[in-house]
Amino acid sequence: MPVIPITYWSFRFMMGLGIWVALGAAVLLWATRKGRVPHGRRWPAVLGLSLPITAVAANSFGWIFTEMGRQPWAVYGLMTTENAVSPGVSVFEAATSLIVLTLLYAVLAVVEVALLVKYVKLGAEPFTEPPEVPLGGHDDDRPMAFAY
């Protein structure tokens, strides 16, 4: 029997966190309009950390919703549970693939966080304005400012 509260709440958490990420991105876009740079200690903490974490959590809740929502199709008679089980995959193979994938994603998460911390600590390269070219002048080395 499917667990309806898990399906119900995982969908709501997925949507709520997805909306939170979209709103956070909109706030950051608004805060950086017209070349402004947001100042303060809260910006990196709130948006820099919460948005990636909530995106991963929303993805996980979506996966839980999808997997929990599949079982009712087998229960309601469209396909029996017996037919829904893959006969070619043993319990050992399923457990092994789950463990290997979990370890792989854990290693990738550690590498991603390590790289993120490394490059945040290094900081951005200093920006220098390109030299001004008089109106109507032409400079092939100047960065492109407009293109179709």
Side-chain angles (χ1 to χ4, degrees):
M1 199 70 165
V3 183
I4 298 300
I6 292 177
T7 305
Y8 179 87
W9 285 108
S10 64
F11 176 76
R12 270 114 188 113
F13 286 143
M14 172 191 69
M15 293 302 295
L17 291 172
I19 290 168
W20 172 255
V21 170
L23 287 175
V27 166
L28 186 60
L29 181 64
W30 178 80
T32 58
R33 66 191 166 113
K34 297 181 182 178
R36 292 187 304 179
V37 176
H39 298 289
R41 298 180 61 94
R42 286 183 279 174
W43 285 102
V46 172
L47 295 177
L49 296 175
S50 74
L51 292 181
I53 291 170
T54 53
V56 170
N59 190 351
S60 298
F61 281 120
W63 178 80
I64 291 168
F65 169 71
T66 301
E67 294 304 317
M68 294 300 287
R70 289 181 189 206
Q71 185 63 24
W73 295 105
V75 172
Y76 292 141
L78 295 176
M79 180 173 70
T80 63
T81 305
E82 180 182 343
N83 293 334
V85 175
S86 178
V89 180
S90 70
V91 173
F92 174 75
E93 291 170 331
T96 302
S97 66
L98 181 64
I99 291 168
V100 167
L101 287 172
T102 301
L103 291 174
L104 175 65
Y105 280 116
V107 167
L108 290 174
V110 168
V111 168
E112 179 180 1
V113 169
L115 287 173
L116 191 63
V117 167
K118 173 185 174 183
Y119 286 106
V120 166
K121 284 182 179 179
L122 284 175
E125 294 178 6
F127 177 75
T128 56
E129 286 285 338
E132 283 295 320
V133 176
L135 191 60
H138 186 69
D139 184 6
D140 289 335
D141 294 332
R142 183 177 177 161
M144 188 182 320
F146 179 77
Y148 285 98

